[in-house]
Amino acid sequence: QTAPGVEVTSSDGGMDWFLMTQQPIAAGSPVLFVPSQMVLSSSAIQAELGGGLTASEDMLRNLGVTNRLPLFRLMVKILVEYEKGQDSPYFPWLNAMPRRFFNGVAMTDACFECLPPYVSWLSQKERNNFSKFLNALRQGQAPLSQQTISDDALIKWAYNVALTRHNIVVAAQEKRIAPMADMLNHATNPNCEITYDAEGNCLVNANANIAAGSP
C-alpha cells in the first residue's frame, strides 16, 4: 500500500524502475506499507523450510560463514518462489528484478585484475562466498528441483537479488526483503526510513520533506 501519488516509474524505457511521488510528502509521513505476509524474513524462511536447509547450513557453518546464513535463506526462498512461476504471490516482484548484475559475483578473474587492490579483494570475497553457497546448496536437501540446483546462472541471479535487496534487521541474525520497499535501499542520502513493527510489517516513512516529482 503506497501513499497517494507514490508510483513505480521508469526514466529509461523500462531498464531501471524506481518509486516517485507525484505530490509532496511531509517529513514523518507514511510512504509505503508492506504487510508481514509479503515480507521475506530469513528467520521465517528457516521455520518454513526447516530440515530442508539443515545439511547446507551445517556445511556453511563448517566453512566459517555462519554470519551469512540469513542471506543463504533468502536466496533459497527466492529460488523456491521462482519455481512456482505465476502461482507465486511474489511473481510480479521477481519478474521486475534486474536480469544483469555488475558486482563481484558477476566478475571474472580478468575483471579483478583491473580493480584497485582493496576493491578487488572485496569483490573476490563476495564471489568466493557465492561459491560456498552454491556448493552447500547442491550438497544439501533444499526443496528445489534438480533443474534449478543445476542452473548456475539462475542461482547466481537469486544470490544477487538477495544480496542487493535485503535490509539488515539484526546483524548476522536477521535479514528481510520487503517487495517494493527494496527499491528504496540504494540512496547515499535517503529521504525515507525503512522499519518493521512488532508484527513484522514493513513501514516506510519520509525522514525529510519530499517534493512532488522526486524519487
Side-chain angles (χ1 to χ4, degrees), residues 40 48-49 76-91 94 143-145 148 154:
L40 298 175
E48 174 190 346
L49 301 182
V76 174
K77 176 63 172 176
I78 288 167
L79 290 169
V80 168
E81 295 301 326
Y82 175 89
E83 285 195 336
K84 296 177 183 178
Q86 296 187 36
D87 292 332
S88 169
Y90 298 98
F91 177 78
L94 290 172
L144 297 167
S145 69
T148 293
L154 175 59

Side-chain angles (χ1 to χ4, degrees), residues 62-136:
N62 291 335
L63 291 172
V65 289
T66 301
N67 63 318
R68 309 213 69 177
L69 290 179
L71 182 66
F72 179 76
R73 294 165 189 159
L74 288 173
M75 182 192 79
V76 174
K77 176 63 172 176
I78 288 167
L79 290 169
V80 168
E81 295 301 326
Y82 175 89
E83 285 195 336
K84 296 177 183 178
Q86 296 187 36
D87 292 332
S88 169
Y90 298 98
F91 177 78
W93 173 70
L94 290 172
N95 198 39
M97 290 297 99
R99 270 45 171 188
R100 299 179 66 187
F101 292 86
F102 299 94
N103 55 5
V105 181
M107 291 182 181
T108 65
D109 291 339
C111 295
F112 296 138
E113 293 177 1
C114 299
L115 296 173
Y118 182 63
V119 177
S120 177
W121 176 79
L122 288 175
S123 300
Q124 290 183 65
K125 183 179 179 182
E126 197 59 60
R127 193 177 71 170
N128 290 340
N129 188 73
F130 167 72
S131 296
K132 293 174 182 177
F133 277 23
L134 183 65
N135 291 333

Side-chain angles (χ1 to χ4, degrees), residues 6-214:
V6 175
E7 58 186 37
V8 179
T9 187
S10 176
S11 61
D12 58 6
M15 290 293 293
D16 190 26
W17 294 86
F18 55 95
L19 290 179
M20 176 179 285
T21 179
Q22 300 300 329
Q23 60 188 55
I25 299 177
S29 299
V31 175
L32 179 67
F33 173 85
V34 183
S36 59
Q37 61 265 31
M38 287 302 297
V39 174
L40 298 175
S41 159
S42 60
S43 57
I45 294 165
Q46 182 185 30
E48 174 190 346
L49 301 182
L53 297 178
T54 301
S56 294
E57 293 194 356
D58 285 347
M59 180 179 176
L60 291 172
R61 289 188 183 94
N62 291 335
L63 291 172
V65 289
T66 301
N67 63 318
R68 309 213 69 177
L69 290 179
L71 182 66
F72 179 76
R73 294 165 189 159
L74 288 173
M75 182 192 79
V76 174
K77 176 63 172 176
I78 288 167
L79 290 169
V80 168
E81 295 301 326
Y82 175 89
E83 285 195 336
K84 296 177 183 178
Q86 296 187 36
D87 292 332
S88 169
Y90 298 98
F91 177 78
W93 173 70
L94 290 172
N95 198 39
M97 290 297 99
R99 270 45 171 188
R100 299 179 66 187
F101 292 86
F102 299 94
N103 55 5
V105 181
M107 291 182 181
T108 65
D109 291 339
C111 295
F112 296 138
E113 293 177 1
C114 299
L115 296 173
Y118 182 63
V119 177
S120 177
W121 176 79
L122 288 175
S123 300
Q124 290 183 65
K125 183 179 179 182
E126 197 59 60
R127 193 177 71 170
N128 290 340
N129 188 73
F130 167 72
S131 296
K132 293 174 182 177
F133 277 23
L134 183 65
N135 291 333
L137 182 67
R138 288 178 172 165
Q139 295 183 40
Q141 299 173 329
L144 297 167
S145 69
Q146 189 58 48
Q147 180 179 355
T148 293
I149 291 176
S150 301
D151 192 332
D152 285 15
L154 175 59
I155 297 171
K156 184 178 292 186
W157 171 80
Y159 179 91
N160 277 324
V161 170
L163 179 68
T164 60
R165 319 302 290 196
H166 74 263
N167 298 119
I168 298 174
V169 179
V170 180
Q173 297 182 38
E174 173 72 348
K175 288 181 169 67
R176 296 176 185 171
I177 302 176
M180 192 171 286
D182 63 320
M183 295 183 174
L184 303 173
N185 71 345
H186 297 88
T188 302
N189 298 302
N191 53 15
C192 292
E193 180 181 16
I194 301 173
T195 60
Y196 296 88
D197 64 18
E199 287 73 43
N201 301 305
C202 177
L203 312 173
V204 180
N205 293 288
N207 60 13
N209 293 326
I210 304 175
S214 300

